[in-house]
């Protein structure tokens, strides 16, 4: 033993003397040597203890060797309330954390710098609360508008997801805490999530479903990944040999921990060999009495290793990965202190909401409010807090500013605001004539009506397992708002033409019944604890909206590619993603189907002029330059988007694909030159014949615009 350790130290020293290693490589080599030394001291039982949960959110350490327990917590937009070691503390306590906007609103900012700030808040709060891994971000592609977890996810577009996820992961990990990117992969719906076998083309896998995860690992350096519940091509994702061993750990060089989603492992040997490193789950009887050694990676893994079915080196690799993450996140030395629910963190939450709220329509420049003395605010969502809803991402903030509270506070004294509930959020509730009448009466007496509706996290605030709409374990039944909200909006519009609609929730809604009549429409997503403040500031013109849609809004559900060309929700056994790469705007633009609101769409209170485009192409890459000017009278930010169109290709390609963007802040009258680089990847497609990315030389069109359906400048290049 002593001899071995001496050998190791000697070889590390040799490498140093060689002096060919970077500082990082030297640190890594020292860490690996320490891990090897630790592994040598551990019994098999101790190693097995580390690769499965020993409470609902921890896995065991080894006390005698000074290895701590590994502690994790949901979730993607705030540190979840404590569970204790079971679920005993969930609904008690004052462990309030910052409730950040959810993934859909974060991504709507199209601002990777905010992704970093957001991640830093999470990392800092997780650290304060003694967590080692934060179970986020969630980055599954929004394949169907119905997915109950779209609110946690970011976009239908892999490039946008990639840019936002890198900032987020780096932000979390800048605090010395691990991010855990989830759910790897194709967890694109909640119905049948635990067993459905997803079948898609290799091209869709590489072009649509993988890039976000790849960026999180290869650019963001994420320390942990969570496998999805579902199967992919017949094997569970968590131990899918192709996805985990070949791609994630092989091609992408992932050196961290692949943990299971909670109770997503169903067997021992295949899961150990298929690449899962850590089995997590809960004491399902909720009393803390479940024997965690009965997990598949507990006694059964011990026996399989003892009887030689599994080589000890397989277990060692998993423990090595866990120890590596522990070293990287300072679990053996002293961490810097974290901060918790501070003013500065609330400011980040507010900033993300300000930049993530999207102005979808602004007829007659109705917004910001001017000359309005009285407002009838209508709708249960106006007065509803959302933090605790939705499932595992629930948060218990110190406070949450609702739409109603936000407007009342900001307008103090200058606006008379009445409130009527308009609809009831209860199971099966239909349009309520009495409530609608009250709302219409209030609307008729006010200068303006603001209906605040949309999706909710479910019927019941505290229970999420039996909920529909934006909730884990459930999908939305269709794209129509529940509880008679369409009837309500139509009645209010009849009573007062000066009506605007504010929509909460995780994505597309069928607005066809009233979209032409509503003066203005705002999509807020789930904007976090300061959402009501940010919304009020936008309504009153204190903040100029700059969010853009990260997901296309179809006119009706049947227009959505997963529903038109693909299968959804599948038969519970197999689900074919027949739409392939034609997800979101890739479908709408290629198949000439007009969406209600296009990907990338979002209005401002000012106007932007695009001009002077030039593209310098060199061999396999290009640099796009153009001028963006704020031609209006207020300061604002525009998300300039660059799409690539391949003029001639040997395979069918989407009409356009997003390959670069930049959020540009401009004072009134100010112009800036925007320069964006398109690297060779921007022009490639994934060839199923060659099983690799291919850049076919020829002509490409570079499209610069304000949305996928609003291209302002074009330039052709030859590569
Ligand atoms: C969810 C994960 C979550 C885990 C732990 C699962 O049900 O799918 O996203 O991190 O629970 O709460």
């Amino acid at each position: 033993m002593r001899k071995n350790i001496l050998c190791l130290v000697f070889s590390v020293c040799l490498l140093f003397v060689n002096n060919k290693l970077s500082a990082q490589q030297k640190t890594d080599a020292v860490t690996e040597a320490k891990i090897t030394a630790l592994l040598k001291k551990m019994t098999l039982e101790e190693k097995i203890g580390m690769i499965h949960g020993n409470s609902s959110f921890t896995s065991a350490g080894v006390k005698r060797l000074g290895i701590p327990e590994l502690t994790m917590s949901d979730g993607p937009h705030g540190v979840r309330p404590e569970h204790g070691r079971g679920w005993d503390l969930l609904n008690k306590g004052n462990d309030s954390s910052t409730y950040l906007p959810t993934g859909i609103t974060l991504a709507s900012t199209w601002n990777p710098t905010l992704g970093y700030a957001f991640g830093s808040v999470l990392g800092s709060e997780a650290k304060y609360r003694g967590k080692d891994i934060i179970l986020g971000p969630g980055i599954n592609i929004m394949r169907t508008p119905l997915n109950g977890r779209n609110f946690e996810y970011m976009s239908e577009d892999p490039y946008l997801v990639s840019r936002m996820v890198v900032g987020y992961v780096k932000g979390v990990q800048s605090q010395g805490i691990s991010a855990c990117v989830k759910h790897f992969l194709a967890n694109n719906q909640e119905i049948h999530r635990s067993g459905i076998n997803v079948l898609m083309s290799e091209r869709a896998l590489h072009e649509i479903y993988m890039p976000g995860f790849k960026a999180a690992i290869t650019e963001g350096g994420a320390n942990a990944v969570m496998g999805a519940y579902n199967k992919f091509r017949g094997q569970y994702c968590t131990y899918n040999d192709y996805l985990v061993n070949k791609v994630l750990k092989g091609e992408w060089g992932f050196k961290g921990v692949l943990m299971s989603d909670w109770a997503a492992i169903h067997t021992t040997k295949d899961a150990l060999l298929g690449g899962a490193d850590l089995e997590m789950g809960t004491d399902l009887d909720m009393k803390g009495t479940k024997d965690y050694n009965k997990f598949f990676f507990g006694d059964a893994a011990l026996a399989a290793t003892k009887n030689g079915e599994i080589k000890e080196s397989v277990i060692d690799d998993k423990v090595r990965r866990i120890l590596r993450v522990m070293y990287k996140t300072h679990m053996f030395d002293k961490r810097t202190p974290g901060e918790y629910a501070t003013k500065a963190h609330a400011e980040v939450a507010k900033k993300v909401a300000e930049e993530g709220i999207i102005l979808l329509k602004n007829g007659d420049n109705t917004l910001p409010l001017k000359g309005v003395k009285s407002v009838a605010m209508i709708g249960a969502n106006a007065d509803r807090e959302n933090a605790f809803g939705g499932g595992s991402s629930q948060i218990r903030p110190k406070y949450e500013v609702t739409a109603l509270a936000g407007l009342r506070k900001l307008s103090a004294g200058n606006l008379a605001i009445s409130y009527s509930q308009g609809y009831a959020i209860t199971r099966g509730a239909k349009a309520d004539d009495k409530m609608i009448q009250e709302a219409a009466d209030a609307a008729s007496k006010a200068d303006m009506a603001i209906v605040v509706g949309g999706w909710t996290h479910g019927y019941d605030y505290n229970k999420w397992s039996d909920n529909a709409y934006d909730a884990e374990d459930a999908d939305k039944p269709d794209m129509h708002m529940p509880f008679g909200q369409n009837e309500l909006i139509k009645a209010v519009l009849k009573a007062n033409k000066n009506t605007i609609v504010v929509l909460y929730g995780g994505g597309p809604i069928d607005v066809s019944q009233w979209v032409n009549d509503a003066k203005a429409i705002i999509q807020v997503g789930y904007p976090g604890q300061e959402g009501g403040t940010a919304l009020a500031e936008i309504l009153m013109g204190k903040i100029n909206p700059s969010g853009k849609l990260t997901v296309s809004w179809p006119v009706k559900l049947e227009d959505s590619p997963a529903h038109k060309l693909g299968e959804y929700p599948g038969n519970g056994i197999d689900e074919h993603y027949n739409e392939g790469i034609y997800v979101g705007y890739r479908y709408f633009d290629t198949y000439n189907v007009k969406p209600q609101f296009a990907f990338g769409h979002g209005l401002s209170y000012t106007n932007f002029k695009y001009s002077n485009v030039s593209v310098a192409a060199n061999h396999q890459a290009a640099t796009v330059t153009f001028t963006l000017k704020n031609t209006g009278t207020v300061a604002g930010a525009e998300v300039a988007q660059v799409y690539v169109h391949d003029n001639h290709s040997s395979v069918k390609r989407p009409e356009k694909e997003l390959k670069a963007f930049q959020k540009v802040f401009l004072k009134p009258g100010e112009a800036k030159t925007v320069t964006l680089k398109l690297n060779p990847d921007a022009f490639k497609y994934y060839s199923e014949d060659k099983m690799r990315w291919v850049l076919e030389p020829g002509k490409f069109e570079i499209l610069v615009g304000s949305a996928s359906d609003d291209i302002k400048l074009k330039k052709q290049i030859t590569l």
Side-chain angles (χ1 to χ4, degrees):
M1 165 104 157
R2 221 175 127 233
K3 208 172 131 206
N4 281 339
I5 294 175
L6 280 177
C7 268
L8 249 165
V9 173
F10 181 66
S11 25
V12 171
C13 289
L14 256 186
L15 285 171
F16 277 29
V17 172
N18 237 338
N19 210 16
K20 282 202 177 119
L21 297 177
S22 68
Q24 186 56 50
Q25 284 169 322
K26 284 178 189 167
T27 315
D28 290 349
V30 171
T31 306
E32 294 302 316
K34 284 183 188 163
I35 293 173
T36 306
L38 267 179
L39 277 168
K40 288 204 155 74
K41 291 184 196 156
M42 290 171 74
T43 64
L44 182 60
E45 283 75 5
E46 286 168 338
K47 292 175 189 172
I48 295 290
M50 288 184 68
I51 65 167
H52 64 86
N54 69 341
S55 82
S56 53
F57 283 89
T58 54
S59 58
V62 181
K63 226 177 182 173
R64 73 178 181 92
L65 297 174
I67 303 173
E69 275 187 342
L70 188 66
T71 305
M72 17 209 136
S73 173
D74 291 299
H77 46 265
V79 184
R80 190 179 186 179
E82 286 311 333
H83 283 186
R85 297 187 72 83
W87 294 82
D88 42 319
L89 293 177
L90 186 60
N91 289 317
K92 302 173 208 143
N94 55 2
D95 49 358
S96 316
S97 63
T98 301
Y99 169 36
L100 292 150
T102 72
I104 192 169
T105 305
L106 170 63
S108 304
T109 67
W110 292 61
N111 187 345
T113 312
L114 281 184
Y116 184 91
F118 183 112
S120 308
V121 168
L122 261 178
S124 171
E125 299 209 350
K127 187 160 56 173
Y128 181 95
R129 286 256 300 269
K131 313 295 180 193
D132 307 308
I133 301 183
I134 194 87
L135 302 175
I139 61 162
N140 292 93
I141 290 288
M142 295 180 185
R143 173 179 179 252
T144 159
L146 302 188
N147 182 12
R149 289 185 93 170
N150 278 348
F151 77 95
E152 286 183 70
Y153 300 153
M154 292 182 171
S155 176
E156 68 187 19
D157 180 77
Y159 181 77
L160 178 57
V161 171
S162 305
R163 293 311 94 213
M164 295 307 297
V165 76
V166 170
Y168 179 126
V169 167
K170 286 191 168 168
V172 171
Q173 297 193 169
S174 71
Q175 299 297 314
I177 297 297
S178 294
C180 177
V181 191
K182 66 191 190 184
H183 308 87
F184 186 64
L185 172 140
N187 186 182
N188 307 106
Q189 66 191 50
E190 290 299 286
I191 295 183
H192 306 318
R193 73 170 177 177
S194 55
I196 193 88
N197 179 32
V198 173
L199 299 158
M200 69 169 82
S201 69
E202 202 58 20
R203 194 168 164 207
L205 178 66
H206 281 82
E207 291 191 17
I208 307 293
Y209 295 93
M210 272 183 174
F213 289 102
K214 184 177 179 190
I217 304 307
T218 58
E219 293 177 61
N223 288 337
V225 174
M226 186 189 291
Y229 279 122
N230 50 288
K231 292 180 187 159
F232 177 81
R233 295 185 189 156
Q235 272 183 330
Y236 281 103
C237 289
T238 315
Y239 37 99
N240 186 294
D241 187 52
Y242 177 51
L243 294 181
V244 181
N245 287 334
K246 182 156 186 296
V247 178
L248 177 72
K249 294 184 175 177
E251 287 172 24
W252 301 347
F254 176 63
K255 297 270 185 291
V257 174
L258 186 281
M259 72 172 74
S260 74
D261 200 339
W262 268 233
I265 287 187
H266 307 277
T267 183
T268 299
K269 194 177 161 196
D270 284 354
L272 287 170
L273 295 176
D277 299 315
L278 174 58
E279 180 187 9
M280 290 306 299
T282 37
D283 50 340
L284 297 175
D285 62 3
M286 307 273 173
K287 289 188 196 114
T289 55
K290 182 159 178 158
D291 182 356
Y292 283 90
N293 293 321
K294 296 284 174 284
F295 272 28
F296 293 100
F297 281 15
D299 291 346
L302 182 65
T305 316
K306 277 190 170 160
N307 71 24
E309 264 184 283
I310 297 290
K311 288 195 190 128
E312 190 159 344
S313 58
V314 172
I315 307 297
D316 283 356
D317 177 61
K318 301 179 194 310
V319 177
R320 176 176 291 278
R321 286 169 179 274
I322 294 168
L323 288 169
R324 199 178 273 146
V325 169
M326 288 182 162
Y327 274 107
K328 267 187 131 174
T329 53
H330 310 289
M331 288 177 67
F332 293 101
D333 48 68
K334 210 170 163 345
R335 282 185 174 145
T336 54
E339 288 189 329
Y340 197 55
T342 60
K343 255 197 153 152
H345 290 183
E347 271 306 309
V348 173
K350 179 158 169 275
K351 186 89 186 103
V352 173
E354 285 171 1
E355 286 197 31
I357 291 176
I358 309 164
L359 180 60
L360 293 176
K361 174 178 174 183
N362 195 15
D364 302 330
N365 290 324
T366 302
L367 291 174
L369 301 183
K370 29 190 169 310
V372 172
K373 298 247 159 3
S374 56
V375 163
M377 203 172 239
I378 295 160
N381 271 2
D383 196 25
R384 184 175 169 86
E385 292 176 356
N386 296 299
F388 210 82
S392 56
S393 63
Q394 58 199 190
I395 306 297
R396 182 178 19 231
K398 275 191 181 141
Y399 66 90
E400 178 179 345
V401 182
T402 62
L404 183 60
L407 193 62
R408 279 196 171 141
K409 181 152 185 227
L410 190 70
S411 65
N414 299 320
L415 266 185
I417 303 171
S418 67
Y419 173 66
S420 7
Q421 192 183 323
Y423 62 94
I425 300 177
T426 44
R427 181 179 285 280
K430 299 262 179 290
D432 182 313
D433 292 342
K434 194 164 159 266
M435 278 201 245
I436 291 180
Q437 193 53 53
E438 275 168 19
D441 287 348
S444 67
K445 287 184 205 130
D447 294 341
M448 169 179 269
I450 303 178
V451 182
V452 185
W455 303 118
T456 64
H457 277 308
Y459 308 110
D460 182 328
Y461 189 67
N462 274 325
K463 287 189 215 143
W464 48 269
S465 53
D466 64 346
N467 284 340
Y469 315 124
D470 292 322
E472 198 178 324
D473 227 359
D475 283 353
K476 299 164 187 121
D478 52 46
M479 243 174 67
H480 294 287
M481 287 189 291
F483 316 128
Q485 292 183 70
N486 282 325
E487 288 87 334
L488 170 72
I489 294 173
K490 286 189 283 186
V492 171
L493 272 162
K494 229 178 184 177
N496 188 337
K497 287 202 169 4
N498 202 22
T499 291
I500 70 169
V501 178
V502 174
L503 299 169
Y504 275 70
I509 288 173
D510 184 330
V511 295
S512 54
Q513 294 185 39
W514 44 264
V515 64
N516 293 330
D517 302 324
K519 284 274 177 179
I521 305 175
I522 293 178
Q523 154 70 1
V524 295
Y526 287 106
Q529 67 182 40
E530 286 287 354
T533 315
L535 176 66
E537 289 180 350
I538 285 175
L539 292 170
M540 309 276 293
K542 201 172 157 204
I543 294 289
N544 189 352
S546 62
K548 299 263 190 179
L549 284 180
T550 67
V551 58
S552 314
W553 283 38
V555 175
K556 50 186 188 307
L557 182 63
E558 305 83 77
D559 288 350
S560 167
H563 299 261
K564 183 95 183 173
L565 306 177
E567 292 178 353
Y568 171 89
N571 56 11
I573 302 166
D574 290 329
E575 185 167 339
H576 295 263
Y577 285 17
N578 294 327
E579 73 283 6
I581 58 168
Y582 294 97
V583 175
Y585 70 91
R586 283 170 169 72
Y587 168 76
F588 290 100
D589 290 355
T590 312
Y591 289 79
N592 291 315
V593 179
K594 210 175 153 19
Q596 184 70 64
F597 296 114
F599 173 81
H601 170 75
L603 304 171
S604 166
Y605 294 153
T606 188
N607 296 310
F608 299 101
K609 185 163 179 275
Y610 288 73
S611 61
N612 296 332
V613 66
S614 67
V615 183
N618 85 29
H619 186 44
Q620 293 210 327
T623 304
V624 190
T625 308
F626 54 95
T627 307
L628 190 63
K629 183 172 182 186
N630 179 348
T631 56
T633 52
V634 287
E638 165 72 331
V639 178
Q641 302 157 40
V642 176
Y643 297 84
V644 171
H645 167 80
D646 191 346
N647 288 19
H648 304 284
S649 165
S650 57
V651 298
K652 189 175 171 193
R653 295 192 68 175
E655 177 62 23
K656 61 170 91 73
E657 295 171 74
L658 180 76
K659 295 297 171 182
F661 63 86
Q662 191 172 318
K663 191 159 197 173
V664 187
F665 295 82
L666 294 165
K667 295 190 202 91
E670 188 185 8
K672 277 185 186 162
T673 303
V674 182
T675 303
L676 292 168
K677 293 223 180 306
L678 297 172
N679 66 24
D681 289 345
F683 302 96
K684 291 180 182 171
Y685 68 89
Y686 188 83
S687 160
E688 297 196 333
D689 292 341
K690 303 194 170 96
M691 289 289 274
R692 63 177 169 80
W693 290 89
V694 168
L695 196 165
E696 266 179 5
K699 288 191 170 43
F700 292 86
E701 209 162 18
I702 308 301
L703 313 167
V704 181
S706 176
S708 61
D709 69 343
D710 188 10
I711 299 303
K712 310 278 193 189
L713 307 166
K714 291 184 184 178
K715 203 84 193 174
Q716 193 164 293
I717 55 166
T718 307
L719 295 180

